[in-house]
Amino acid sequence: MTRVAIIGLGAVTRNIHLPAYKSLGARVTIVGGSDPDPAARARAAGLGVPQVFATPAEMMEQCRPELVAVCTPPALHREHVELALAAGCHVFCEKPLADSLADADAIVSAAARAGRQVVINNQFPYMRTHLAARERIGAPDFGRLLYLHAWHTLRPTDLTESGWRGGLTRRLGFEFGVHVFELIRFFFGATPTRVMAHMPRPDPATPWDAINLVGLDFADGRAASFLLDRVSKGTEHYLDMRLDGEHAAIHTSIGGQLRATIGLHTRERRPFADFRFVPGGRAVLTQGNRTRVLATDPQNPFASATARHFANFLDALERGAVPAGHAADNRNTLALVFAAYAAAERGAAVSLAEFAP
C-alpha cells in the first residue's frame, strides 16, 4: 500500500484525484492533504481525507507520505514538486507541468538529483476511447496513421473562468491545448518538429486567446492540426478527434451523448439508423459508411483515466522501471505549447528545436 498525500484540495482533487485513488482500493491510502483555504480543507475532510493542513510543509512532517500528488496551480508546481522531492517522495503532478520551460527543466533536474520519479497527470491518453484508438494504429484494418485533426468548442462560464485559469493571458493553448498536444504525441508515437499557429482575438472583451488554430508537421511528412474555439455559441464539443489512417478513420469524442438518428446514405441509396448513449466518450472505427464502436468511457472519464495512469505509475515503481508520462518526456508536450504561442506571435512557423532543453 502506497501512502499518498495531496498538496492542493480544490476541484481537481475532489472530482478527479480522490475518486481515482478510491477506485484503486488497497493499493493506495490517503494520509493527508494541504490547502491554504479553510473551506477547501473542510470539504476534503468531509470526503475522507484523514488529516488536513494549511501548509504542505506541515503535512509532509506529520504524515510522512511516500508519494505526493501536486494539485495546485501551475505557477506553484515547481515549489511543491521540489518540496516533495526533498522529502524523498515520488510525485504525481497535475498538468501543465509548469508555467515556464525553465521551471520544467528545474523539476526534471531536481527529480534526477533526488533519484525519484515525477509523473505528470496528462490523463487523456489513458481514457478507454483513446487507448482503443491507439491499439488500432498499425492494425490491418486501419494501417499507418497519416493525419489527425481535433476540435474543441466550449462556451465560457463563471465556473470555467474561476481559479488560476481566469487570470491567464496566454490561456487556451496552455490550459487545454496541452491535452491535445499530448494526445497527438501519443497517437503518432513521436513529437512534431514544426509548429504553425494563428490565435486571433475577435472579441475585444476577451483578454485571452479564445481561438487557437494550430498545425503540426512531423519529420516523416505526416501532420496534425486542431481548432480550439471558445467564441462559438453553438453546440459544445469538449474534444473530438479524427484519425485518418491508410485504410480507415477513427473518430473519438469526450462528452456524453443521447442521440437517435435515421437517414439515407445518398451515394448508395441505403438507409441507416444510429442510436447513441454515451456516458463519457466513445471511439468509432469508420470505413466508408460502415462503422464499429471500439470503446466507450464512463461518465467521469477524467477520474477513471487518472486511476489507470496512476496505477501504471505504481506498477513502474514496483518494477524499478521508468514510468510513462515522466517529467522529462512531458516537457516535450509543454515545449509544443510555448512553440505554438511563439509561432502565433511571429506569424511564422517555428522549429521545436528552438525549445529544446
Side-chain angles (χ1 to χ4, degrees), residues 110-340:
R113 290 194 304 271
R116 293 292 182 267
Q117 297 290 346
V118 176
V119 166
I120 313 310
N121 188 30
N122 268 114
Q123 78 271 64
F124 280 35
Y126 299 94
M127 295 178 181
R128 292 176 185 168
T129 50
H130 298 144
L131 288 169
R134 180 64 185 85
E135 288 176 0
R136 300 316 306 160
I137 296 173
D141 58 353
F142 184 82
R144 184 167 174 256
L145 175 61
L146 304 176
Y147 172 66
L148 180 153
H149 179 66
W151 59 102
H152 159 87
T153 305
L154 190 70
R155 295 188 299 275
T157 65
D158 290 343
L159 181 61
T160 66
E161 301 313 293
S162 63
W164 59 270
R165 291 173 178 83
L168 296 174
T169 54
R170 285 181 162 190
R171 162 74 181 278
L172 186 51
F174 182 70
E175 57 98 348
F176 192 85
V178 67
H179 292 298
V180 186
F181 284 121
E182 180 77 3
L183 282 168
I184 288 169
R185 295 183 62 233
F186 173 72
F187 286 128
F188 281 91
T191 298
T193 56
R194 193 172 71 138
V195 182
M196 297 149 283
H198 182 46
M199 299 180 182
R201 300 192 181 192
D203 184 354
T206 303
W208 40 270
D209 51 303
I211 298 175
N212 285 188
L213 295 161
V214 179
L216 303 160
D217 290 339
F218 289 84
D220 60 4
R222 295 183 294 169
S225 62
F226 62 83
L227 167 63
L228 311 181
D229 182 354
R230 294 200 181 164
V231 171
S232 174
K233 303 302 186 288
T235 303
E236 292 189 332
H237 292 269
Y238 186 79
L239 182 61
D240 284 65
M241 308 185 82
R242 192 189 72 244
L243 289 71
D244 289 332
E246 293 175 294
H247 311 301
I250 296 173
H251 176 205
T252 69
S253 62
I254 302 174
Q257 293 183 22
L258 177 59
R259 179 184 300 176
T261 307
I262 59 173
L264 180 73
H265 294 304
T266 55
R267 180 178 293 182
E268 297 91 347
R269 296 187 176 278
R270 182 170 61 86
F272 71 88
D274 181 32
F275 175 77
R276 299 182 190 180
F277 172 60
V278 183
R282 78 174 193 166
V284 178
L285 179 74
T286 303
Q287 293 172 309
N289 291 324
R290 300 190 308 275
T291 63
R292 176 162 59 94
V293 176
L294 298 176
T296 61
D297 267 307
Q299 189 169 2
N300 187 350
F302 311 101
S304 59
T306 295
R308 197 169 290 114
H309 188 20
F310 191 75
N312 291 342
F313 184 12
L314 297 181
D315 290 343
L317 292 177
E318 290 171 3
R319 298 193 311 269
V322 176
H326 60 86
D329 177 70
N330 191 260
R331 187 206 183 274
N332 293 317
T333 296
L334 191 63
L336 287 167
V337 173
F338 288 107

Side-chain angles (χ1 to χ4, degrees), residues 7 34 36 54-60 68-87 91 93 96-100 102-104 106-108 110 113 118:
I7 303 177
S34 69
T55 68
E58 184 182 9
M59 179 191 70
M60 299 295 293
V68 172
V70 173
C71 299
T72 50
L76 297 174
H77 284 179
R78 177 180 175 180
E79 173 189 345
H80 291 151
V81 169
E82 289 181 342
L83 175 71
L85 291 171
V91 179
C93 182
L97 168 58
D99 64 355
S100 72
D103 278 359
I107 288 171
V108 172
R113 290 194 304 271
V118 176

